[in-house]
Amino acid sequence: MKKQSKSKALSEKEGIPQPAHSSPDVAKQLISRRRRSATTEELVQGILAGDQTRLSRAITLIESKAAKHQDQARQVIEACLAHTNRSVRIGITGVPGVGKSSFIEQLGLQLVGQGHKLAVLAVDPSSSLSKGSILGDKTRMEELVKQPQAFIRPSASGTSLGGVAQKTRETILLCEAAGYDVILIETVGVGQSETAVHSMTDFFLLMKLAGAGDELQGIKRGIMEMADAIVINKADSENVKAAKLAKTEFNRALHLYPQKASGWTPKAFTCSSLKNQGIEEVWDVICNYIELVRDNGYFEQKRKEQNRYWLMQTIQDSLQQRFFDHPGIKEALDEQMSLMEQNKTTPFAAANYLLQLATIS
Amino acid sequence: MKKQSKSKALSEKEGIPQPAHSSPDVAKQLISRRRRSATTEELVQGILAGDQTRLSRAITLIESKAAKHQDQARQVIEACLAHTNRSVRIGITGVPGVGKSSFIEQLGLQLVGQGHKLAVLAVDPSSSLSKGSILGDKTRMEELVKQPQAFIRPSASGTSLGGVAQKTRETILLCEAAGYDVILIETVGVGQSETAVHSMTDFFLLMKLAGAGDELQGIKRGIMEMADAIVINKADSENVKAAKLAKTEFNRALHLYPQKASGWTPKAFTCSSLKNQGIEEVWDVICNYIELVRDNGYFEQKRKEQNRYWLMQTIQDSLQQRFFDHPGIKEALDEQMSLMEQNKTTPFAAANYLLQLATIS
């Protein structure tokens, strides 16, 4: 089921109407043939040549849980590394309904029109539950999907944000090796997914809607501070006035935050994806930002810091997983938690007790 | 040197002028005699009887790095546990110069006047460098220090916030067992110290100064969102107008944040520690808050969550420390970092390489 929808999406992207499979057996055969042919060498060559089918196949390896797929994925990434790091990575966040898909469709069409190669990825750790709420419904980007210069890939599924984020980061590398020079990474505010996307992108765009004067209610913890720009979408027809007001209020709120390490001053903008207005300006803002941070060295510095962050984060996550998966820890943890609730032990005594049950060697 | 200043402080607290030591030998003898006498049983009895000397001695054990002191500290804490959890724990933060000491002095004098027993602690991981910048200079609370119902203890020294915070949390427990029903924990915005103090208190007070109209500039990441109240200090003489303006602006800014899980709506206030104005109101606000959260169950729930947080945090910190202290990891980490900077490995490949060097058993 999943595989079918994947091959459908690829056909659409190449702009070729897909022939109806004569039978499920034929479909199976085709899939199996494609699988057999995908050696590491072929995948790498295909990716470097910009072949979307090979790129998709390699991303599927990254997303696979099978050890041999993981091994092959690692080899592919390693071979591609020298060709990475050449894109602008842009994070886009906003609540469902804010119009991220239409915005990305309009921005994407402009970018491919200008000769850019655009990859659209997503980080949505909940998508395994909702069956891919983000980018799942590609009809929402039906024009962009037809562009050969655009590559759209739904979020990796998985329940752990760490896992999903790692896969997305590795996917970015392959997309860069395949020549995509603009990478958009979309997310909704699920748990810490915005922090994860912020930590893998060069520019972070927060999308908002104008409301009934309470635009600033419900600002989520830390999200505004991460934004390099805020764009108020759906600034069209009767919304124009409210959007302008929201823009003023967001600019005021942005003013509350300290100067960014990038030297950049975030601002709010309005746009209408529906009427295709203001999208070009947002791209100009992104270009101005990239110019600034490439000049002052922050671009390079931030990417280095992000690498270090992901290295440390991966070690931390793995250490904890190993610890809590260790035999006997789960029961002991429950027991210590219960003692703690009864005020018979402290968090530190409980932690020390648990730590001596699993030692490192 | 350190011990001398400690015993001086204790004498001051008891309001007895300290006799000059006839010789350093006598001082040494006295200290040694006091040490010998402090059995675990005596310490526990002393703490439960509210003896400040015993309490201080037990806190010194908590702060000691020696294994036998740590063991004894653990026993003392364990024996005291049944008598803990009966205080209101209040976190106070603000930049140096905002007037935390004078505020705490005024608030503290009011509280002991009302029959409360007050402990004042601090979390300042930098204090080992600055030789105890917070609460170090007790002359700043010279009236409060004389009150037998007040117990003032400088921040534990240490370079790691985790270590300092753990010691402070354990100190809170002993202070509660000694009958202190209001615990004030002071911090300055050093690194994550505010988050640590927020995670060990029931109420979090942010102290601010009125400036030249730019009060809201430089709001530090996440600090405003943690505040249950903001108090603008030094609202006296020519500052009154600016303080009122700041209050309005802070109330507007507080309005930006989402509803708190406690059901409480944070507000801004003005006060003058110098003229002893507005301090009573701050205490009323704290009392109203405590009443609300005791009624709606949030008080109990938050303390349970804090315990779980500290348990998990301690495990996480220890796992990392063990890992990075493991033989060979440091060199391998430097090597992988260097490969990563040269774009020859990814953060995930580097992490996996390091993780297989140290396994759990």
Side-chain angles (χ1 to χ4, degrees):
Chain A
M1 171 87 183
K2 207 174 164 194
K3 275 164 213 153
Q4 272 195 352
S5 77
K6 221 168 264 163
S7 57
K8 250 188 226 164
L10 283 169
S11 314
E12 278 173 19
K13 249 175 276 161
E14 286 157 15
I16 300 158
Q18 189 168 36
H21 295 308
S22 51
S23 80
D25 286 346
V26 174
K28 226 183 243 170
Q29 232 183 331
L30 283 170
I31 288 166
S32 127
R33 192 180 309 153
R34 198 173 58 203
R35 285 227 169 138
R36 256 202 317 275
S37 64
T39 67
T40 301
E41 180 63 20
E42 283 168 337
L43 286 174
V44 173
Q45 290 306 327
I47 290 168
L48 296 181
D51 177 341
Q52 288 195 346
T53 310
R54 295 287 195 227
L55 175 60
S56 286
R57 176 69 194 139
I59 297 171
T60 305
L61 290 176
I62 288 176
E63 292 171 354
S64 166
K65 280 178 185 152
K68 71 169 184 176
H69 292 163
Q70 285 291 305
D71 277 350
Q72 200 182 3
R74 206 173 307 132
Q75 289 164 26
V76 172
I77 294 167
E78 217 162 274
C80 287
L81 269 182
H83 307 275
T84 60
N85 249 333
R86 293 177 190 162
S87 74
V88 172
R89 304 167 184 170
I90 300 161
I92 297 183
T93 189
V95 295
V98 77
K100 288 189 293 298
S101 297
S102 346
F103 176 81
I104 291 172
E105 162 126 312
Q106 293 302 338
L107 176 60
L109 288 171
Q110 280 189 23
L111 291 177
V112 299
Q114 289 169 23
H116 289 288
K117 278 188 75 180
L118 172 78
V120 184
L121 311 176
V123 170
D124 178 11
S126 70
S127 69
S128 55
L129 297 172
S130 56
K131 303 272 175 209
S133 57
I134 300 192
L135 296 177
D137 182 8
K138 289 202 189 167
T139 54
R140 280 194 276 170
M141 299 189 196
E142 54 182 5
E143 289 305 316
L144 189 58
V145 115
K146 292 178 195 160
Q147 304 293 323
Q149 298 295 91
F151 177 75
I152 301 175
R153 177 88 185 189
S155 177
S157 64
T159 46
S160 109
L161 173 61
V164 172
Q166 170 175 345
K167 289 165 188 171
T168 307
R169 267 189 65 95
E170 292 179 334
T171 299
I172 292 174
L173 297 176
L174 296 193
C175 289
E176 289 177 344
Y180 294 92
D181 63 332
V182 180
I183 320 259
L184 299 181
I185 299 136
E186 180 186 359
T187 192
V188 289
V190 181
Q192 294 291 303
S193 64
E194 281 150 323
T195 309
V197 170
H198 181 252
S199 307
M200 63 176 81
T201 51
D202 307 311
F203 186 93
F204 197 68
L205 184 67
L206 173 60
M207 289 189 69
K208 284 279 184 182
L209 285 182
D214 61 346
E215 291 79 12
L216 298 185
Q217 283 284 5
I219 286 179
K220 302 227 353 237
R221 182 178 174 85
I223 304 308
M224 283 245 332
E225 307 168 61
M226 295 196 286
D228 294 305
I230 295 177
V231 58
I232 298 126
N233 196 17
K234 305 193 185 175
D236 35 47
S237 39
E238 69 270 32
N239 273 328
V240 173
K241 208 176 152 187
K244 280 188 183 159
L245 184 67
K247 180 177 130 175
T248 308
E249 293 204 17
F250 279 117
N251 274 325
R252 183 203 294 270
L254 284 170
H255 179 72
L256 305 183
Y257 296 104
Q259 171 81 37
K260 293 210 158 204
S262 55
W264 176 255
T265 309
K267 284 214 182 75
F269 303 86
T270 60
C271 82
S272 163
S273 307
L274 185 72
K275 305 212 164 177
N276 199 5
Q277 283 167 349
I279 316 268
E280 228 174 306
E281 276 173 84
V282 174
W283 180 244
D284 286 346
V285 167
I286 295 173
C287 291
N288 290 341
Y289 173 85
I290 297 296
E291 203 185 327
L292 173 81
V293 294
R294 276 202 203 274
D295 282 354
N296 68 17
Y298 183 76
F299 184 90
E300 193 58 30
Q301 179 202 330
K302 188 180 178 189
R303 285 207 171 177
K304 276 187 186 170
E305 277 167 15
Q306 288 178 340
N307 276 339
R308 280 194 289 266
Y309 168 83
W310 286 102
L311 170 63
M312 291 305 176
Q313 201 60 43
T314 307
I315 289 175
Q316 188 177 305
D317 289 352
S318 301
L319 288 175
Q320 287 199 68
Q321 199 184 328
R322 278 180 357 180
F323 181 78
F324 289 111
D325 286 352
H326 196 71
I329 290 291
K330 211 197 150 318
E331 295 71 23
L333 177 65
D334 288 347
E335 191 187 77
Q336 293 294 314
M337 288 277 208
S338 160
L339 287 172
M340 208 168 64
E341 295 221 344
Q342 297 164 56
N343 205 19
K344 286 180 181 161
T345 187
T346 67
F348 308 106
N352 287 332
Y353 174 82
L354 292 168
L355 284 161
Q356 53 146 30
L357 297 181
T359 53
I360 204 167
S361 65
Chain B
M1 171 93 183
K2 207 175 162 192
K3 274 166 211 151
Q4 272 196 353
S5 76
K6 222 170 258 161
S7 58
K8 249 188 226 162
L10 283 168
S11 313
E12 277 173 21
K13 251 177 272 158
E14 286 157 14
I16 300 160
Q18 191 168 35
H21 295 308
S22 50
S23 82
D25 286 346
V26 173
K28 224 182 243 171
Q29 233 185 329
L30 281 169
I31 288 164
S32 130
R33 193 180 307 152
R34 200 175 58 204
R35 282 226 171 139
R36 258 203 316 278
S37 65
T39 68
T40 301
E41 179 63 19
E42 282 167 338
L43 286 174
V44 173
Q45 289 307 324
I47 290 168
L48 296 181
D51 177 341
Q52 288 195 346
T53 310
R54 294 289 195 226
L55 175 60
S56 285
R57 176 69 195 139
I59 296 171
T60 304
L61 290 175
I62 288 177
E63 291 171 356
S64 166
K65 279 177 183 154
K68 73 169 183 176
H69 292 164
Q70 284 291 305
D71 277 350
Q72 199 183 3
R74 206 173 308 132
Q75 289 165 26
V76 171
I77 294 167
E78 215 163 275
C80 287
L81 269 182
H83 307 275
T84 61
N85 249 332
R86 292 176 191 163
S87 75
V88 172
R89 304 167 183 170
I90 300 160
I92 298 183
T93 189
V95 294
V98 76
K100 291 189 291 298
S101 296
S102 345
F103 175 81
I104 291 173
E105 161 127 312
Q106 292 302 338
L107 176 60
L109 289 172
Q110 280 189 22
L111 292 177
V112 299
Q114 290 169 21
H116 289 288
K117 278 188 74 181
L118 171 78
V120 183
L121 312 175
V123 170
D124 178 10
S126 70
S127 69
S128 55
L129 297 171
S130 57
K131 303 274 173 203
S133 58
I134 301 192
L135 296 178
D137 181 8
K138 289 202 188 166
T139 55
R140 281 194 278 170
M141 298 188 198
E142 53 184 4
E143 289 305 316
L144 189 58
V145 114
K146 293 177 193 160
Q147 304 294 321
Q149 298 297 90
F151 176 76
I152 300 175
R153 177 88 184 187
S155 177
S157 65
T159 47
S160 107
L161 174 62
V164 172
Q166 170 176 345
K167 288 164 188 172
T168 308
R169 269 191 62 98
E170 292 179 334
T171 300
I172 292 174
L173 297 177
L174 296 193
C175 289
E176 288 177 344
Y180 292 93
D181 63 333
V182 179
I183 321 259
L184 298 182
I185 299 137
E186 181 186 356
T187 192
V188 289
V190 180
Q192 294 292 303
S193 65
E194 280 149 324
T195 308
V197 170
H198 181 253
S199 307
M200 61 176 80
T201 51
D202 307 310
F203 186 94
F204 197 68
L205 183 68
L206 173 60
M207 289 188 70
K208 284 279 183 182
L209 285 182
D214 61 347
E215 291 78 12
L216 298 184
Q217 283 285 5
I219 286 177
K220 302 229 352 240
R221 179 176 175 86
I223 304 308
M224 283 244 334
E225 308 170 59
M226 295 197 283
D228 295 304
I230 295 177
V231 59
I232 298 125
N233 195 19
K234 306 193 184 175
D236 35 49
S237 38
E238 70 269 32
N239 273 328
V240 173
K241 208 177 151 186
K244 279 187 184 160
L245 185 67
K247 180 177 129 175
T248 307
E249 293 203 20
F250 279 117
N251 274 326
R252 182 204 293 272
L254 284 170
H255 179 72
L256 306 184
Y257 296 104
Q259 172 81 36
K260 293 208 157 206
S262 55
W264 175 255
T265 308
K267 282 212 182 75
F269 303 86
T270 60
C271 82
S272 163
S273 307
L274 187 71
K275 305 212 164 176
N276 199 4
Q277 284 168 349
I279 316 267
E280 229 175 303
E281 275 173 84
V282 175
W283 180 246
D284 285 346
V285 166
I286 295 173
C287 291
N288 290 340
Y289 173 85
I290 298 295
E291 202 184 326
L292 174 81
V293 294
R294 277 202 202 274
D295 281 354
N296 69 18
Y298 182 77
F299 184 91
E300 194 57 32
Q301 180 202 329
K302 189 180 177 189
R303 285 205 171 178
K304 277 188 186 169
E305 277 166 15
Q306 288 178 339
N307 276 339
R308 280 194 289 266
Y309 168 82
W310 287 102
L311 170 63
M312 291 305 176
Q313 200 61 41
T314 307
I315 288 175
Q316 188 177 304
D317 290 352
S318 301
L319 288 175
Q320 286 198 69
Q321 198 183 327
R322 276 178 1 180
F323 180 77
F324 289 110
D325 286 351
H326 195 71
I329 291 291
K330 212 199 148 318
E331 295 71 24
L333 176 65
D334 288 346
E335 190 188 79
Q336 292 294 314
M337 287 276 207
S338 162
L339 288 172
M340 208 168 64
E341 295 220 344
Q342 297 165 55
N343 206 20
K344 286 181 181 161
T345 187
T346 66
F348 308 107
N352 287 332
Y353 174 81
L354 292 168
L355 284 160
Q356 53 147 29
L357 296 181
T359 52
I360 204 167
S361 64

